[in-house]
Amino acid sequence: MFQVKFRQQSFDELLIEVTGNASVDEAVALDRELLNILEAQPLKNVKLDLGGLDYLDGAGIAVIRNFVRNCKKLGNNATLVNIPSGGKRFLEGHESKSFASTGILEGIDEPDVATQIRHGISYLKNSSVDMITFIGGVVDAFWSGLRRSGSIKWEGLAKLFAKAGVDAVPIVLALGFLMGAILAFQAAIQLRKFGANIFVADLVSVSICLEMGPLLTALIISGRSGAGYAAHIGSMQVSEEIDALRVLGIDPILYLVCPRIIAVALAAPCLTMISNIVGIIGGCVVASFSLDITPTTYFNQVRRVLEVSDVMKGLTKSIVFGIEIAIIGCFRGFQVRGGAESVGYATTSAVVTCIFVLTVTNAIFAVLFYYFPRIGVF
Amino acid sequence: MSDNPYVSDISVKNLTAGYAGEIIIRDISFEIPRGKIFAIMGRSGCGKTTLFRAMVGLLKPVSGEIYYGDNKMEPISEQPKMEILRKIGVLFQSGALFTSMTVAENIAMPLLQFTSLPETVIEEIVDLKLELVGLQDAARKLPEELSGGMQKRAALARAMALDPQILFFDEPSAGLDPLTSSELDETIRSINSFMGTTVVLITHELRSVCSVADNIILLDPAEKTIIARGRPDELMQNVSDKRVRDFFRGGLN
Ligand SMILES: Nc1ncnc2c1ncn2[C@@H]1O[C@H](COP(=O)(O)OP(=O)(O)OP(=O)(O)O)[C@@H](O)[C@H]1O
Ligand SMILES: [Mg+2]
């Protein structure tokens, strides 16, 4: 507890005496009381006597400093007397100091719109340049890896493939099946109107093999491997592991990025194939329950309309998607500077960048397949 | 041991380095004689790690050169000098063990990278190095399963895996108890005397520096450069420069 007493000492001087404890628990009350006294008294000179204090901690010191600040604001002259020895270093001569701390919690001013746009553009430019440099580094690493093929040192490919591919099978199975079923449901509602029930097989099989399968799988891989690579490489960056690789003369791109690209480029078409198969099965289940199409009829129809080239086109796309995801994930990881927050940011931006790039690539493929139908047919 | 007696000499010539336009150390020159223990000292934030990163090629200097013997060091990202990297071992301030590998695999890494020794020999070397730092039982553990001090020692074993001619230590004893840290001093000194290894030591530990180092340079955060150099006893006797006096006296009081 603390007590505050005050009295007029001369015609223009007020003496305030604080006794007891000025601790963090009392700080709020003490601060308010001192301010009340200041505001109620019209006297010009204020003397604060701290001689009676038994205990003074950081919060107490801060309250007294705030008192000095308030005095200045109100136009009073503050003097501190009998400062306890522990607080001398922080309080002595404080009356005459200017307040360096004013506004330090207010956050940095946001720049105006024009500046922000300028920053945005230069960020975009820099990150494109970085990305292109990185891709150059990857190509270079592959090239030098090929030349010294006997002595390539990189992380175990099998383990990476198992993580990117095998571990993703359950979720690909589940989502692929649902995707096929949903497509069949939507189609069923429309096709029943025309009595064109059997075409559900056409719709499901072609759209899954060409579009939905590759894209869905790629999205799953972005969320698992793309984000995972960004986080892993990012935290290696933070813990100086990348530097440790460099001083061993190991190119981190060859060691970390190349095997990941290969692993994902192999895993993506495998997963896509799985997703295609269960998607078509999902369509079959829905067709037989809600459209009265027997599985035999359904699969006969699928065989008639689904061409090998459709499947191959989808798989070609998925290989490209896989390469892109691995590159983006690793690239975001290498961009990490500083600490944990930066790793989190890299993970998020890896997924967002993947989704953006996948969508654009898919659009490019759509145009290519339209004008050059023979792409992807081997 | 070495075929080329000049290789271990390091000379730093007019080195200026920093980050993103901000200069941290300016116009630094010094020579590290072969087979000596050379200490870089200075207050926290004066740029010791920065200097060390530039010396091993992790940071591109703004200007100036670093020579290992008569071989010029280039930034690793631009032109990795394998013949230099082969001869240096680095202990990072944070240890920097590869978290996805066991301790033994960590230590085997430089051996696999730079030699084509048979696996059994590599295993023997790993065993030997673990014994040297007293971690025989931790070989199959992952770094995350070790205490901070054990990680430091494992990282030390990795740095020494190839018996490098030059060892860089960035604060090897930070986070170690006094006993382990003086054992570490002993290890450093014995590596230096038995194998003639040049040691570049960054540290705050005055006691260990005074007992171990042959030469010291003292960096200053305000001057951004070397403010004193010499043997430990010379610097301890220095009374003319207040900053040097404070640094060495203040630490021992
Ligand atoms: N990556 C970085 N980007 C920008 N500035 C940095 C970076 N790393 C260090 N600095 C700055 O460079 C200065 C020197 O840092 P450095 O790590 O070299 O100090 P140090 O002497 O090793 O300190 P300590 O003894 O605490 O390890 C510091 O002021 C720091 O703020
Ligand atoms: Mg440091």
Side-chain angles (χ1 to χ4, degrees):
Chain A
M1 273 314 294
F2 64 88
Q3 285 90 41
V4 181
K5 280 184 253 153
F6 62 97
R7 62 171 193 276
Q8 188 167 356
Q9 216 176 18
S10 65
F11 78 100
D12 69 344
E13 187 172 89
L14 181 73
L15 178 72
I16 307 178
E17 281 176 344
V18 188
T19 53
N21 295 341
S23 69
V24 66
D25 300 323
E26 333 271 5
V28 175
L30 180 59
D31 189 47
R32 190 169 315 132
E33 192 150 346
L34 288 175
L35 186 60
N36 286 343
I37 295 171
L38 270 190
E39 280 173 345
Q41 294 294 331
L43 300 177
K44 182 104 178 69
N45 296 319
V46 184
K47 198 185 254 178
L48 185 64
D49 187 343
L50 305 171
L53 279 179
D54 303 322
Y55 179 84
L56 178 66
D57 67 3
I61 291 174
V63 167
I64 294 163
R65 282 180 158 197
N66 193 36
F67 169 81
V68 175
R69 194 198 283 198
N70 286 334
C71 285
K72 279 203 184 157
K73 226 186 302 176
L74 296 170
N76 297 327
N77 297 324
T79 333
L80 303 176
V81 292
N82 296 329
I83 302 172
S85 58
K88 276 216 168 91
R89 186 173 153 212
F90 305 104
L91 291 173
E92 211 152 43
H94 191 71
E95 304 91 320
S96 55
K97 285 200 187 120
S98 60
F99 299 108
S101 63
T102 308
I104 53 175
L105 291 180
E106 270 169 17
I108 298 159
D109 273 351
E110 278 211 353
D112 61 78
V113 179
T115 323
Q116 286 190 30
I117 292 175
R118 213 147 17 90
H119 285 181
I121 291 174
S122 81
Y123 172 78
L124 205 67
K125 190 185 123 229
N126 289 342
S127 62
S128 322
V129 170
D130 288 351
M131 184 86 190
I132 290 165
T133 316
F134 185 76
I135 294 174
V138 170
V139 173
D140 191 47
F142 264 117
W143 177 239
S144 72
L146 281 182
R147 273 183 314 177
R148 308 181 275 121
S149 54
S151 66
I152 314 184
K153 302 270 182 337
W154 59 25
E155 273 198 302
L157 202 54
K159 212 160 106 189
L160 288 171
F161 179 78
K163 265 198 190 146
V166 181
D167 293 356
V169 168
I171 184 151
V172 168
L173 282 177
L175 293 189
F177 183 87
L178 282 178
M179 181 61 70
I182 294 166
L183 269 179
F185 257 123
Q186 295 299 332
I189 298 166
Q190 304 302 324
L191 293 175
R192 228 182 339 220
K193 290 184 198 160
F194 309 104
N197 292 5
I198 186 60
F199 290 113
V200 76
D202 302 37
L203 203 141
V204 168
S205 61
V206 173
S207 62
I208 280 198
C209 289
L210 260 180
E211 290 292 333
M212 296 318 246
L215 204 56
L216 179 75
T217 320
L219 289 179
I220 293 172
I221 297 177
S222 313
R224 294 182 79 257
S225 305
Y229 293 166
H232 183 198
I233 293 178
S235 60
M236 288 182 77
Q237 188 87 274
V238 172
S239 64
E240 298 184 295
E241 282 176 63
I242 303 276
D243 290 336
L245 282 176
R246 289 208 172 101
V247 295
L248 286 179
I250 297 173
D251 179 4
I253 293 186
L254 180 59
Y255 183 78
L256 295 168
V257 182
C258 293
R260 280 173 170 72
I261 292 175
I262 295 175
V264 178
L266 290 178
C270 298
L271 291 173
T272 302
M273 204 59 215
I274 293 174
S275 151
N276 289 349
I277 293 168
V278 292
I280 291 173
I281 294 174
C284 171
V285 171
V286 170
S288 65
F289 279 112
S290 67
L291 289 171
D292 300 322
I293 299 173
T294 63
T296 325
T297 335
Y298 179 88
F299 279 109
N300 275 335
Q301 180 70 9
V302 168
R303 251 181 59 191
R304 228 185 334 263
V305 295
L306 188 61
E307 302 201 15
V308 175
S309 73
D310 293 336
V311 180
M312 292 313 271
K313 280 175 182 167
L315 294 183
T316 311
K317 278 208 289 200
S318 79
I319 294 174
V320 176
F321 289 166
I323 294 172
E324 286 173 345
I325 294 167
I327 290 182
I328 291 167
C330 296
F331 171 67
R332 290 300 186 198
F334 275 105
Q335 275 187 323
V336 166
R337 296 283 174 280
E341 189 194 359
S342 181
V343 176
Y345 179 77
T347 317
T348 316
S349 77
V351 176
V352 174
T353 314
C354 279
I355 292 174
F356 177 76
V357 170
L358 291 179
T359 314
V360 172
T361 317
N362 203 24
I364 294 173
F365 267 116
V367 175
L368 280 180
F369 287 151
Y370 184 80
Y371 287 105
F372 309 97
R374 296 203 50 80
I375 290 181
V377 184
F378 306 113
Chain B
M1 256 186 63
S2 161
D3 35 317
N4 182 350
Y6 300 109
V7 161
S8 295
D9 289 348
I10 308 175
S11 42
V12 172
K13 294 183 179 158
N14 306 99
L15 182 76
T16 297
Y19 304 94
E22 190 196 351
I23 301 282
I24 305 290
I25 46 173
R26 175 171 289 136
D27 200 18
I28 285 188
S29 304
F30 58 87
E31 305 254 333
I32 302 183
R34 170 134 209 248
K36 299 285 186 205
I37 300 182
F38 187 88
I40 300 171
M41 304 195 74
R43 305 187 56 172
S44 191
C46 68
K48 302 183 292 297
T49 302
T50 308
L51 171 60
F52 140 77
R53 289 174 62 83
M55 285 172 74
V56 298
L58 286 171
L59 181 70
K60 188 180 173 180
V62 177
S63 65
E65 286 126 32
I66 298 131
Y67 287 92
Y68 287 75
D70 36 24
N71 205 341
K72 182 168 181 246
M73 189 63 165
E74 302 286 348
I76 295 178
S77 57
E78 289 173 11
Q79 187 189 339
K81 288 279 181 98
M82 298 302 260
E83 61 280 11
I84 297 179
L85 295 175
R86 165 73 179 76
K87 292 188 159 67
I88 64 177
V90 176
L91 174 64
F92 286 90
Q93 193 162 3
S94 64
L97 291 170
F98 303 120
T99 44
S100 53
M101 297 178 198
T102 64
V103 170
E105 285 170 337
N106 261 286
I107 299 170
M109 190 79 174
L111 298 161
L112 292 169
Q113 163 69 5
F114 285 112
T115 69
S116 44
L117 292 168
E119 197 162 312
T120 45
V121 176
I122 290 186
E123 275 174 9
E124 285 300 329
I125 298 179
V126 170
D127 224 37
L128 203 71
K129 301 295 168 186
L130 281 173
E131 216 170 292
L132 197 64
V133 296
L135 280 179
Q136 301 89 310
D137 306 328
R140 287 174 188 281
K141 290 196 170 152
L142 287 172
E144 67 197 24
E145 296 166 329
L146 304 183
S147 75
M150 288 160 87
Q151 288 183 13
K152 260 284 165 57
R153 284 186 280 153
L156 176 65
R158 184 180 68 189
M160 296 188 309
L162 283 164
D163 294 323
Q165 291 178 8
I166 305 164
L167 267 171
F168 286 87
F169 294 114
D170 193 356
E171 297 192 24
S173 50
L176 298 184
D177 64 276
L179 203 62
T180 319
S181 125
S182 59
E183 279 170 18
L184 187 77
D185 288 346
E186 202 43 57
T187 316
I188 293 174
R189 208 175 359 204
S190 66
I191 300 167
N192 169 257
S193 59
F194 291 146
M195 306 201 269
T197 312
T198 309
V199 176
V200 183
L201 182 65
I202 297 173
T203 182
H204 294 296
E205 298 266 321
L206 275 175
R207 230 174 279 274
S208 80
V209 156
C210 292
S211 69
V212 168
D214 296 305
N215 283 298
I216 299 180
I217 56 171
L218 183 65
L219 300 179
D220 185 75
E223 303 273 330
K224 298 183 193 294
T225 186
I226 301 174
I227 53 167
R229 59 178 92 206
R231 291 199 313 276
D233 52 318
E234 285 171 1
L235 292 186
M236 297 294 288
Q237 306 299 311
N238 185 324
V239 280
S240 54
D241 191 328
K242 184 174 178 314
R243 293 163 305 182
V244 181
R245 208 170 58 221
D246 287 350
F247 190 86
F248 284 95
R249 296 292 156 75
L252 282 186
N253 282 344

